[in-house]
Amino acid sequence: MSVSEHPERHVLGLSGGRDSAALAVHMRQCRPELEIEYFFTDTGKELPEVYEFLGKLEGFLGKPILRLNPERDFDFWLRRYKNYLPSPQSRWCTRQLKIRPFETWIKPALNNGIKVFSYVAIRADEEYRKGHSSRHPNLVVCLPFKDAGIDKAGVLELLDGAGLGLPTYYKWRTRSGCTFCFFQQKIEWVRLLERHPDYFEEAKAYEKSAIDHGSPFTWSQGEALTDLQKPERIAAIKNEHRQRVERQRGKRQINPLRPDQELIDMDDLYGNAKMCFACHK
């Protein structure tokens, strides 16, 4: 079918995380008449649990999730950026491995005059960030959760009701995206070491090369992974995290509809100001 036969398109990006998956469920249930194109921008550095969850989601949606792969991989861009690791101050990985592939994919339609509706999983209890605003007149950013008043509890209900539940990595990490995402908390680095030591070693190798080339950044702020993985440091990180969890549980009111404690995730403990919406949602 030619491009001219499509007056508009509807797209929804999935990260492999909780919120975007719940949005896909919500749209299928509330707007079944829309032919939504679901896509996942694959950096090639994702957790295996992410791919597992995407497979489950495809089963629920009854259609494949398009994989968008960057033309050039992480190693290429690392060399291009003079072996400086990406960081909160310089998030070139988001730009080159997430945003650029999406723009390349959707640009022909936009330039041919097709209006593209992009659905983004910003919840009703989250601040809307202007970075999600469209810069192209034919690209319309839609926030269905905001419009419907769906918050974090609503997201969990959507996933439970669909029989999907949470991605299995939520047992130990609540940041989706790359294995070595710099937005991880230190406890998440420890858990990566314990559950996926090969990915931890890969991240450590990238970090050593970057430091050798003069990069001012390490994956975990102010601390190299070689120091973070020392037994005494791991024990201190686990103890500090345990104290945070206990303080957070002491503040919460038990939900009578969920008598067993709801998941306490990293946003609860550390705040969600430091995260990447392109990967985390």
Side-chain angles (χ1 to χ4, degrees):
M1 189 175 289
S2 66
V3 170
S4 61
E5 293 177 69
H6 290 283
E8 61 184 41
R9 288 172 63 181
H10 301 265
V11 302
L12 194 160
L14 298 159
S15 69
R18 173 184 64 201
D19 292 355
S20 58
L23 180 58
V25 172
H26 173 75
M27 296 303 294
R28 183 179 183 276
Q29 292 174 342
C30 297
R31 299 295 306 274
E33 77 280 6
L34 295 180
E35 274 297 320
I36 296 178
E37 301 171 63
Y38 300 96
F39 69 91
F40 170 67
T41 307
D42 192 345
T43 65
K45 301 293 182 179
E46 318 287 337
L47 290 167
E49 295 95 323
V50 168
Y51 300 114
E52 174 192 351
F53 187 65
L54 290 173
K56 289 177 63 177
L57 186 56
E58 283 181 324
F60 173 82
L61 296 173
K63 63 189 304 184
I65 296 168
L66 177 66
R67 267 59 167 181
L68 302 183
N69 298 103
E71 294 179 359
R72 296 181 173 91
D73 62 11
F74 178 84
D75 294 325
F76 171 88
W77 290 112
L78 183 63
R79 292 190 297 271
R80 176 63 62 90
Y81 285 91
K82 300 179 180 179
N83 285 283
Y84 277 30
L85 295 178
S87 70
Q89 296 79 20
S90 177
R91 289 160 50 180
W92 58 256
C93 53
T94 301
R95 173 63 192 165
Q96 305 298 349
L97 300 177
K98 289 288 184 180
I99 298 175
R100 181 188 285 261
F102 169 72
E103 291 177 340
T104 300
W105 174 57
I106 212 68
K107 186 177 180 180
L110 296 174
N111 290 345
N112 283 330
I114 295 175
K115 182 167 287 189
V116 177
F117 295 86
S118 177
Y119 298 90
V120 179
I122 304 297
R123 303 191 311 258
D125 56 340
E126 291 182 311
E127 176 188 355
Y128 172 58
R129 297 177 186 273
K130 294 297 183 181
H132 286 287
S133 298
S134 169
R135 297 182 181 180
H136 195 288
N138 290 332
L139 181 61
V140 180
V141 176
C142 304
L143 307 175
F145 283 166
K146 285 281 188 182
D147 297 337
I150 296 175
D151 58 9
K152 179 180 172 182
V155 161
L156 297 176
E157 289 174 7
L158 281 165
L159 293 177
D160 286 345
L164 292 168
L166 292 169
T168 55
Y169 67 78
Y170 272 73
K171 295 176 182 177
W172 60 277
R173 173 185 180 182
T174 55
R175 304 288 190 196
S176 54
C178 297
T179 56
F180 44 66
C181 178
F182 48 79
F183 279 126
Q184 289 182 93
Q185 298 296 332
K186 294 183 186 295
I187 187 64
E188 292 175 298
W189 281 107
V190 169
R191 291 169 174 172
L192 180 69
L193 170 62
E194 294 173 342
R195 293 175 180 260
H196 295 292
D198 50 338
Y199 292 133
F200 187 92
E201 288 300 317
E202 180 184 42
K204 194 167 68 171
Y206 278 126
E207 184 178 75
K208 182 181 185 305
S209 176
I211 292 172
D212 290 345
H213 284 85
S215 173
F217 307 120
T218 51
W219 289 123
S220 182
Q221 185 175 1
E223 184 172 28
L225 295 183
T226 51
D227 295 324
L228 186 147
Q229 72 175 138
K230 293 177 180 177
E232 63 275 15
R233 183 66 182 120
I234 289 175
I237 291 170
K238 287 184 174 180
N239 184 58
E240 194 273 340
H241 179 72
R242 191 178 306 113
Q243 291 176 10
R244 281 182 180 262
V245 171
E246 291 172 356
R247 288 195 298 269
Q248 184 66 27
R249 282 194 173 136
K251 297 176 184 177
R252 326 187 106 172
Q253 294 182 344
I254 296 178
N255 184 342
L257 299 178
R258 292 175 178 270
D260 52 336
Q261 285 284 356
E262 293 181 24
L263 173 74
I264 297 179
D265 61 30
M266 295 299 159
D267 294 348
D268 299 321
L269 297 174
Y270 299 93
N272 61 6
K274 292 183 177 181
M275 67 172 168
C276 171
F277 277 108
C279 302
H280 179 58
K281 301 301 292 179

